[in-house]
Amino acid sequence: MTPVSALVSFAFVAGMLTIIPGLDTALVLRSAMTRGRRHAFATALGINTGVLLWGAGAALGVTALLTASQVAYTVLRYAGAAYLVWFGVTLVRRSLSGGAAEPGPAVTAASGGAYRAWMRGVATNLLNPKVGVFYVAMLPQFIPKGSPHLLMGLLLALVHNVEGLAWFTVLIFGTTVARRRLSGERVHRWTDRMTGVVLVGFGLRLALSDH
């Protein structure tokens, strides 16, 4: 397998994974509907940053700990589940109370909402151990013999990033067009409410899954 054929083959596999609706899609759609394109793209870039970090970790063998150590996997799984449930419950609670639903890492006011959105994307992706396990399982199969693991791993993760950003761009622009017709506080609250329920569901499923 040559580096070019490896990249093309991985692009197909990663592309199929990208378009399957999941947690990342829910976060980006929520940001696009309630906060606009800037926040949605910041969320998408945060998710893609997490993908690059997972790719580098898998190439270096760091994330192999998730498959080799049940304790490491369990700790990360519960941490990720707790974060998703907290985030989801906060969205639902604030939407019901009529407050602005913007939970996330504490930052200064000068940092701006885009930074919070980016951090939220990074945290959500890195706290999902199944992403790490996917990279540990898949990346070695697409690294040609004799190729530098870190460089090739980053290239493969970058391919996934480009596909993800392209898909998120389609979703963001489509959602913001709909947002102009569905603007209003009530729509925003219901969007946060539904997203919160989805996040809680993902968190509970992650916490209750065995692997």
Side-chain angles (χ1 to χ4, degrees):
M1 179 184 293
T2 65
V4 174
S5 64
L7 290 172
V8 171
S9 299
F10 182 78
F12 177 78
V13 175
M16 294 298 101
L17 178 68
T18 298
I19 62 177
I20 296 175
L23 175 59
D24 294 344
T25 301
L27 287 178
V28 172
L29 288 177
R30 180 258 170 184
S31 293
M33 180 61 74
T34 62
R35 304 293 292 175
R37 290 179 186 173
R38 184 167 179 263
H39 286 74
F41 275 112
T43 302
L45 289 174
I47 291 169
N48 284 351
T49 300
V51 168
L52 279 176
L53 292 174
W54 277 122
L60 292 173
V62 175
T63 51
L65 289 173
L66 293 177
T67 54
S69 172
Q70 183 64 35
V71 173
Y73 180 85
T74 300
V75 169
L76 187 58
R77 177 163 60 91
Y78 281 124
Y83 174 77
L84 292 178
V85 171
W86 168 80
F87 189 8
V89 168
T90 304
L91 284 177
V92 173
R93 179 176 58 81
R94 293 194 181 184
S95 69
L96 291 173
S97 65
E102 273 301 306
V107 294
T108 63
S111 299
Y115 177 76
R116 288 196 297 270
W118 178 79
M119 282 295 297
R120 189 174 299 127
V122 173
T124 302
N125 193 274
L126 290 182
L127 287 174
N128 187 352
K130 293 188 176 182
V131 179
V133 170
F134 166 78
Y135 269 88
V136 169
M138 296 300 298
L139 249 66
Q141 301 180 46
F142 294 94
I143 297 180
K145 186 176 180 180
S147 298
H149 283 200
L150 178 58
L151 178 59
M152 196 64 194
L154 287 174
L155 284 175
L156 292 171
L158 187 59
V159 168
H160 194 182
N161 263 257
V162 171
E163 292 178 330
L165 190 57
W167 176 243
F168 288 146
T169 298
V170 172
L171 294 179
I172 290 168
F173 275 90
T175 303
T176 51
V177 168
R179 182 174 182 252
R180 297 191 188 102
R181 301 182 180 182
L182 300 174
S183 60
E185 188 63 28
R186 178 175 295 182
V187 173
H188 290 178
R189 289 181 186 176
W190 274 103
T191 299
D192 281 337
R193 202 168 299 169
M194 291 185 292
T195 304
V197 171
V198 170
L199 293 179
V200 171
F202 273 113
L204 293 176
R205 188 175 70 175
L206 182 60
L208 297 175
S209 64
D210 293 328
H211 54 277

